[in-house]
Each structure stands twice: as C-alpha cells, then as structure tokens.
Amino acid sequence: MDYDFDYLVIGTGFGGSTAAHRLTQKGYSVGMMEMGRRWSAETYPRSNWHFHRWLWRPMLGMKGFFNLRWFKHVLVLHGNAVGGGSITYANTLLVPKQEIWQQGSWAGLKDWQAEMPAHYASAQKMLGVTENRILGPADHLLKEAADDWGCGESFYKTQVGVFFGDEGAALGKAYPDPYFNGEGPERNSCIACGGCMVGCRHNAKNSLDKNYLYFAEKQGAQVFAETKVIDVVPLNGKADGEDGYEITTVSSTSLLRRHKRRWRTKSLVFAASSLGTQDLLFKLRDKGSLPNISAELGRRVRTNAESLIGVRLPGEQNMDEGIAIGSGIYLDDKTHIEATRYPRGSDAMGLLVTAMTRGKPNWRRVFVWLYTMLKLLFKAPKQAVTSLIPFGLARQTVIFLCMQTLDGHIDMQYRRAWYWPWRKRMVSVGEPIPAHIPEASEFALRTARRLGGMAGSLITEVLFNIPATAHCMGGVGMGKSSEEGVIDSQNRVFGYRNMLVCDGSMLSSNLGVNPSLTITALTEHAMSFIPQKAQVVEVA
C-alpha cells in the first residue's frame, strides 16, 4: 500500500506528542493533525483580555489557545494549540494516589501498581518534573490557612514542569539545554511572573514544544497546524482497518477556503483531548465511517469532582507572583486544594466570578445568592462593588482549585439538543455533578473572614448548579471487552486494528490531581507495546 504515513496522530497534546516521539524513535513516519495554531514567545497574548489571541472561537475571529465548552452538567476549560493543553496548563505534574487503579473500569485489567511506576519515571524525566522552588504570597497564604484549619502538615510544594536554573542565580538567566545532554532547546530560568496559563513568554515552562513534541519533529514527525479531521474510513473495504485508513481534513480556521485533503495511513492514534476524541468518534460512528465503535463511548466522563473558588483580598496585593500552581494541601483524604494564579493584568476570568454562596445546589440557591449580595452591599458596599469588577482580580486573589477523588461521573451522548434541533452535537446526560463542595467552601469563607477578604466562586456554580473543570477525563474508557469499554489495557480500540486512543478520554477513574502526567505515563505504557519498525532489506 502507498501510505502518506505509518502513523497519523490526531492531536498534539500530552498523549499525541508522547506517542509521536516514541513512534519516530522506533523508525515510523508520523503525521500530526492539530486543530489549533502554533505559538511562540513573540505571539502569546500579553494578557487574557486579548480575546482574539487567547480564546478559541475561530468562526468569530478568535484564534487563541484557550477554549470553554458549556454543557448542561459542566463547563469545561481546555487548550487548543500545537502542544495541546501544555501551552495553557498550570505546569502541575503529580502522581495520583495508588487507590485510583482499584477504581473505575480499568480496575483489575493489569497489575497497574507494578507496571506504572517505570512509565511515570519516563514521563517525569522527559517533562523535567521538579519540586517548585518559588513560593509566592498566595502559597504562603495557603499554608497559613491550612494551619488555621488544622491540616497544615499536609502542605506541600508542587511537582512542576518548570526550569528554575541554578540555586542563587539571577532569574531569567539563559542556559544551554539542561535536560537532554545538549540535544534539546536552550532555556531560561523562571522569573515568577505567574504567566504560565496565558503562555510562558520567558522560555521557562516545560511545555511539549520543549520536550516530547520537540523531539518528535526533530526525528521527522510532520505537524499540520490549523487542521481539523472530519472523516476516518478503513481502506479497501476492510471493516476492521486491517489495510489502514483514509483520513479527510479541512482547515479549522478558514471560513471560506476549506483546503480539503485526504491522507492514507497504516495506523491511527486519536489524541484530541477527552472532549475532542469523544466528539470525533461519535460523529464517525453516527455517519457510518467507524460503525464498530463500542456503545460505551461517552460513558463515565469525569471532572475530578472539581470546584474553582477563591478569596479576593482588599487593597494592593501581589498574589500574582510565583508560578501558576505552586503549592497544595489536603483538607482530608478525598479533598485536595491547590493555590492557583494568573499574571497581573490577566483578569478576564473575573467575568465569571461572584460572591460565594452557601446552600444546597438547587434553584433555591439563587435566592440565597441574592440575599448574600444584598447583605454584602449593605455591610461592605465597596467590597461588594469590587467583587463585580474583574479588574485587579489576578493580583488581589488567591484561587483555590479544589479536586476530589470521589467517583462521580456524567455521560455524553450524540444527538439533537432541544435548543439546536438542526444538527446533532455532543450533550451531557445523567445526574448532576455536585457544584458545591461544602468543606472547600467553608475553608475559603473562613480564610476570607480571617483576612478581611471576600470568598468567591464561579457564577455558573451558583446560578446554574454547573461546576467548571479544567480536567475533563474519560468517555473512552478501558475495559475487558467492547461491552465494558471502548479500548483495552494497551489503548487499542475494540473492533479495529491499528487504532489507539491516547489522551484524557482513556482515564477510567477520578485521579484527584491534575491529569497531565498520568496521560503521558499511560501513553508511554501504550507505546511500549509497539515494536520497532521492521527494516526492509533489498536483495541484489
């Protein structure tokens, strides 16, 4: 067969870049299709108020790297770029607790606790994981609040993918490649500007274009940016994909010129993020291109049982100094909180913030919110008005990212929504995910009272009972068969040959920590089963 590539990888995030690096290492030709744009220090936005360079809504002229997708049950925050979520994520690379392998649909498929440590070690080495060396004011505030709560002993400095340089050296100093024996790119040490989530303009963040993706391209992988996959069809009528696949792509950013192309590949890796891969597989199954995809597709989508809350302090503050997530604590065995920050001037997320509201997550909570706001306006009018104005949010606020290991989930389906009956789309179904974590909210309120600040949460949680998450996981879970999952324990798609899934959609239980390291480690695990490419020897 005449193939364009041995492997075609859809997506360039943690799973896609890891797969591409290991595949090119083994001698395979690799093409990578990425819907987002390629970014550099020169093109990153100065703040997230530059919507056209921060948000991803290409049909509205916004071609940034940060996306929000609103479902009935959850608001999902995720990345869209060459390098995937690594461009906008908060650098945090934590190994989850061991019990996550005994939960969810992957439990019992393998001896994960024996197999995974080696793959975590490979991922940590490639991503340059190290302990945070810069504690900012928000981190010290978190420690004080934890001491006051009685869990101060759980305080820790995060494991992060950031280059800090030599101890005692000037911040921002240039260094030759510090990670890969001179084979990688030059780097600069972190200057603690807090800008990790709006794109690191100082060459200190270990995003994928500095490691896995960098080497994949160096070894021959070809990246096609601003390219969207719209169809995948098995070649030669072989329903299981034995002879490979034909991939159809169009431009993801052009309104008029679609630049439609077709590609042939022997093997295929879906790595388009949890939402992206689910959405694409739903469409391909629905149109009959890949009809054998398991009925388990879209089942057990998890959000890390997450809540975004915070405390806004009065007056001039410097909560923006440090790295995006510099420290964390455990309120209890199930509840994990991290101190999070945006850089000074990047206050756009404040448009989604309001005063924290107690109460059960139902329609009555709206009236409790109104009472809370009126009470605040009467007792502290200046603080109340400030809470409604986003400007100054980044420097005045310590954001508490709360995650739990509780095993709640929703399901996704592909159907016509009542509000948009003209075409099918992915919609969430099932019981609501809790949008209010009482212990975390009480922690924020107690901290606010002690410091004279105001506790806040996302308005979607208060008014609509919809939590937000930056860690959408699952939907293409592992199982023993197609009756229990979409992929097997080696990430191979049931019903097809030469097809794998390597992204957040494969995660099959709530991790309770940021998932990037686990996505990378599980992809390392999947790639360990791919043999070296056989060399064809010509005989004279």
Side-chain angles (χ1 to χ4, degrees), residues 130-134 158 160-167 169-172 175 179 188-190 204 323:
T130 188
E131 184 178 81
N132 174 33
R133 296 215 309 253
I134 302 174
T158 45
V160 293
V162 176
F163 178 60
F164 293 108
D166 298 329
E167 291 276 4
L171 302 183
Y175 292 81
Y179 295 111
N188 294 74
S189 58
C190 178
I323 64 171

Side-chain angles (χ1 to χ4, degrees), residues 250-278:
V250 295
S251 169
S252 63
T253 55
S254 175
L255 281 170
L256 301 177
R257 297 183 179 180
R258 301 193 75 200
H259 300 291
K260 195 170 188 177
R261 291 188 64 178
R262 288 185 172 85
W263 315 77
R264 288 179 165 226
T265 182
K266 175 64 176 176
S267 303
L268 185 62
V269 179
F270 286 90
S273 80
S274 175
L275 285 184
T277 290
Q278 287 182 79

Side-chain angles (χ1 to χ4, degrees), residues 41 44 162-163 172-175 178-179 185-191 199-207 209-210:
Y44 286 132
V162 176
F163 178 60
K173 180 182 175 182
Y175 292 81
Y179 295 111
E186 294 183 355
R187 307 302 304 281
N188 294 74
S189 58
C190 178
I191 66 168
C200 177
R201 295 185 288 112
H202 305 286
N203 198 31
K205 182 178 183 178
N206 296 348
S207 47
D209 55 325
K210 305 292 194 298

